[in-house]
Amino acid sequence: MRGAAMKVGQLMSMDAGDLLPPEFASVLAQLRSNAHPMPPRQLRTVLNKAWGEGWYGRFKRFDLRPLAAASIGQVHRAITPDGRDLAVKVQFPGVRESIDSDVDNVGTLIRLSGLMPSGFEVRPLLEEAKRQLHEEADYLAEADALAEFNGLLQTAPEYRLPALHRDLTTPDVLAMEYLSSRPLEALDDAPQALRDRVVTELFALSFRELFEFRRVQSDPNLANYRFDPQEERLVLLDFGATRTVPPDLAEAYRDLLRAGSQNDIAGLRAASQQIGYIGPGTPAQQIDFLLPIMNAAFEPLRAKDGFDFAASDLAVRLRDQAMALGLEAGYREVPPMDVLYLHRKFGGLYLLARRMRAQVDIQMLATPYLRAGSST
């Protein structure tokens, strides 16, 4: 299975040993960029359909062996006669057609595994997963998002994004500038200061996405973030999961973060009602169970002079408390889908920071956005 099943595996692979056995996470790590590629004959068929027969003559060089293969497509390096060095992402044939059945199969596995509490309605989540994966399979939409973020970050030299090449881009093929870079895992043994800087820049970007751009790249797959060792810059890839954040949701999150930064339980409750964590019919005992968990989740935001992700057991505590919330307290609220994608983004960044053993001053990064009003 590709698509949905691999997306789940990619996110699970970011665990640093708190939630999964390290050996399991290591195996899942292969799903980020080392999935099984399509055979060369099949590749030629896909590109014949996208570019027409004889497409090979449009290149000075086209490597048939992919640089990487993941959940929806694989990436090839190519050079044009005019000297453009390209990374060409080619979609696996049949991905769009298999999305719905793949998601249904994942839903069956979730139900049979007992991962979700009894009575939890998973169907809305599955339908949204189908919609999102269909969007990610549209490379023309991803091309627009890539161009948009290139514009948004043109004055932020700490980030590097590939330039888009529209003349070779189709719904099934995305042509981008090739950027030399290394996986973030290559920084595992880098000096603490460098690891801290890289993760700090990722959290800083996430705050800008939410509160300034109102556009969030919501897929925190580790393979989407790489590092250019020569220029010592973050390389950002894959904008297929870019989502617009409604203004009222961004403001509700501002209220939530502000309350969390101040240990304000009443403020957390009010913001949670705005966002959808707490509904009109949520029992009082569930609310009393939920709010301390939410308050604990903001420990990094309250840490003076930085939060040491490597030294914290917060992920394990939140996991255990969340399981108890569902199994013992019977919590069944499903927040709006935009909220779940923000959870995926920030939860993924937390796992990444933990994996990188980073120390990050989240409070310093968030403070400018917690001021009253929406002018930041």
Side-chain angles (χ1 to χ4, degrees), residues 21 25 77 140 157 219 224 259 266 290 296 359 371:
R77 190 172 182 182
L140 292 178
D219 184 357
N224 294 343
L290 171 66
Q359 299 173 18
R371 297 168 183 151

Side-chain angles (χ1 to χ4, degrees), residues 289-350:
F289 206 118
L290 171 66
L291 291 177
I293 298 175
M294 297 185 68
N295 196 44
F298 290 109
E299 285 180 14
L301 187 59
R302 295 191 293 268
K304 302 290 185 183
D305 303 318
F307 184 78
D308 189 341
F309 284 88
S312 172
D313 65 347
L314 179 60
V316 175
R317 285 188 282 123
L318 291 178
R319 176 202 65 191
D320 293 343
Q321 292 169 7
M323 290 294 288
L325 176 66
L327 296 176
E328 297 173 21
Y331 181 77
R332 299 291 186 272
E333 297 291 340
V334 179
M337 295 304 164
D338 286 326
V339 173
L340 292 177
Y341 280 98
L342 289 177
H343 273 204
R344 181 171 75 156
K345 172 78 168 188
F346 285 102
L349 286 179
Y350 181 96

Side-chain angles (χ1 to χ4, degrees), residues 155-172:
T155 59
E158 62 269 35
Y159 309 107
R160 193 173 181 204
L161 286 72
L164 172 67
H165 292 265
R166 285 195 184 273
D167 59 317
L168 292 168
T169 296
T170 76
D172 298 319

Side-chain angles (χ1 to χ4, degrees), residues 14 39 41 129 135 158-159 175 180 209 249 265 277 314 355 358:
M14 295 174 67
R41 179 179 297 180
E135 286 187 6
E158 62 269 35
Y159 309 107
S180 179
E209 288 177 340
L249 178 59
I265 298 297
Y277 296 123
L314 179 60
R355 184 185 184 91

Side-chain angles (χ1 to χ4, degrees), residues 193-368:
L194 179 56
R195 287 183 279 118
D196 293 348
R197 195 200 87 196
V198 166
V199 178
T200 296
E201 288 171 354
L202 286 172
F203 273 101
L205 176 60
S206 69
F207 284 122
R208 292 196 70 187
E209 288 177 340
L210 175 58
F211 293 116
E212 293 181 31
F213 307 156
R214 305 275 170 82
R215 290 280 282 166
V216 174
Q217 194 285 84
S218 66
D219 184 357
N221 176 15
L222 196 59
N224 294 343
Y225 310 122
R226 294 176 67 88
F227 186 72
D228 180 343
Q230 290 189 327
E231 298 189 7
E232 292 197 341
R233 287 199 291 171
L234 268 168
V235 175
L236 307 178
L237 303 174
D238 198 334
F239 290 85
T242 301
R243 296 176 69 88
T244 298
V245 180
D248 57 342
L249 178 59
E251 292 309 312
Y253 255 93
R254 194 192 309 276
D255 293 339
L256 185 75
L257 293 177
R258 187 184 297 115
S261 71
Q262 299 170 355
N263 262 316
D264 179 2
I265 298 297
L268 282 177
R269 177 170 183 155
S272 296
Q273 290 172 328
Q274 283 183 279
I275 290 171
Y277 296 123
I278 297 173
T282 306
Q285 64 269 26
Q286 291 182 12
I287 297 174
D288 292 341
F289 206 118
L290 171 66
L291 291 177
I293 298 175
M294 297 185 68
N295 196 44
F298 290 109
E299 285 180 14
L301 187 59
R302 295 191 293 268
K304 302 290 185 183
D305 303 318
F307 184 78
D308 189 341
F309 284 88
S312 172
D313 65 347
L314 179 60
V316 175
R317 285 188 282 123
L318 291 178
R319 176 202 65 191
D320 293 343
Q321 292 169 7
M323 290 294 288
L325 176 66
L327 296 176
E328 297 173 21
Y331 181 77
R332 299 291 186 272
E333 297 291 340
V334 179
M337 295 304 164
D338 286 326
V339 173
L340 292 177
Y341 280 98
L342 289 177
H343 273 204
R344 181 171 75 156
K345 172 78 168 188
F346 285 102
L349 286 179
Y350 181 96
L351 292 176
L352 187 153
R354 172 77 170 154
R355 184 185 184 91
M356 299 282 287
R357 308 184 312 282
Q359 299 173 18
V360 182
D361 194 340
I362 303 291
Q363 185 180 97
M364 179 272 295
L365 295 175
T367 295

